[in-house]
Amino acid sequence: MNTLFKRLMAILIIVAVGIFVYSYLNDGFQKRKSPKKTVSFKVDDLKLEVFYNRPSKRGREIFGALVPYNEVWRTGANEATTFATNKTLKIGTDSLNAGKYTLWTIPNDTAWQVIFNSKQYEWGVDHETLKALREPKYDVVNVVVPVEKIDNTVEQFTIAFDNSTDNLFLTMAWDNVKIEVPLK
């Protein structure tokens, strides 16, 4: 019995050390600078969900600097941002079928292109070039929406759904900028 107990304790210690090392090597003990977030919207039988990572301003100039104008942005940080719908949606003049998409944007100072892409990407950018991984041949919907300058500063990039006026919008806000993508 004593030998069995010693072996069991040795196995448990090895497992505990393995978990500790794995967590340490994968930033398990550090708070993420761009935490993961999932936002959901449900009304009647429509269900929408966005998964993204929320970078912070931290005193930096955002649009036109950290996020360059006229270049594809992964729309958040880290993993590629995803958008899921269980029903077909009308976005601009295009239809977006039920399914899961990656969400990309091309910011500008007056308008943003918002792109729904059918390919799933594990990460948002190429690790070597730091360029967005989006492949345009998989674009399903591409809509241009105006930029709204807001009075307050949004410290952490935020994606939300707004149905306050019985018109549904996918909103994105960061720094002093907000956009609204109409969804029908």
Side-chain angles (χ1 to χ4, degrees):
M1 181 73 172
N2 203 10
T3 305
L4 179 63
F5 180 71
K6 287 180 182 178
R7 287 182 181 164
L8 182 60
M9 288 303 292
I11 290 170
L12 289 175
I13 289 171
I14 290 169
V15 168
V17 167
I19 291 171
F20 177 83
V21 168
Y22 176 81
S23 294
Y24 181 77
L25 293 175
N26 288 292
D27 294 329
F29 297 118
Q30 297 179 10
K31 185 176 178 185
R32 291 175 64 114
K33 289 185 178 180
S34 300
K36 296 177 181 184
K37 177 79 174 181
T38 300
V39 292
S40 301
F41 177 80
K42 184 176 186 249
V43 64
D44 301 325
D45 59 349
L46 174 65
K47 295 177 190 169
L48 305 174
E49 184 176 279
V50 174
F51 166 81
Y52 69 111
N53 289 270
R54 302 184 67 201
S56 296
K57 180 172 170 56
R58 294 193 306 270
R60 302 176 289 183
E61 186 178 340
I62 301 301
F63 296 107
L66 179 66
V67 177
Y69 285 140
N70 303 315
E71 290 185 24
V72 176
W73 179 41
R74 64 179 148 185
T75 314
N78 304 330
E79 296 93 343
T81 296
T82 60
F83 177 93
T85 177
N86 70 328
K87 298 280 184 185
T88 298
L89 296 173
K90 183 111 171 153
I91 302 174
T93 59
D94 296 318
S95 290
L96 184 70
N97 291 328
K100 186 175 181 181
Y101 301 88
T102 49
L103 186 62
W104 307 86
T105 50
I106 301 176
N108 196 306
D109 61 339
T110 58
W112 285 20
Q113 273 184 273
V114 180
I115 304 158
F116 296 82
N117 185 287
S118 63
K119 185 171 179 182
Q120 298 301 304
Y121 306 82
E122 285 188 37
W123 205 250
V125 296
D126 179 275
H127 291 290
E128 292 176 14
T129 65
L130 298 179
K131 296 290 183 188
L133 287 173
R134 170 189 155 249
E135 295 175 59
K137 68 181 177 182
Y138 296 105
D139 291 352
V140 178
V141 171
N142 190 328
V143 63
V144 176
V145 295
V147 166
E148 176 186 339
K149 297 290 184 179
I150 52 179
D151 294 332
N152 59 317
T153 299
V154 177
E155 174 63 27
Q156 202 168 30
F157 178 61
T158 302
I159 297 177
F161 293 101
D162 181 358
N163 193 33
S164 60
T165 60
D166 283 337
N167 293 309
L168 179 59
F169 294 94
L170 174 66
T171 65
M172 298 177 214
W174 196 16
D175 195 9
N176 64 342
V177 170
K178 178 182 176 183
I179 65 162
E180 297 180 328
V181 180
L183 308 174
K184 295 182 188 221

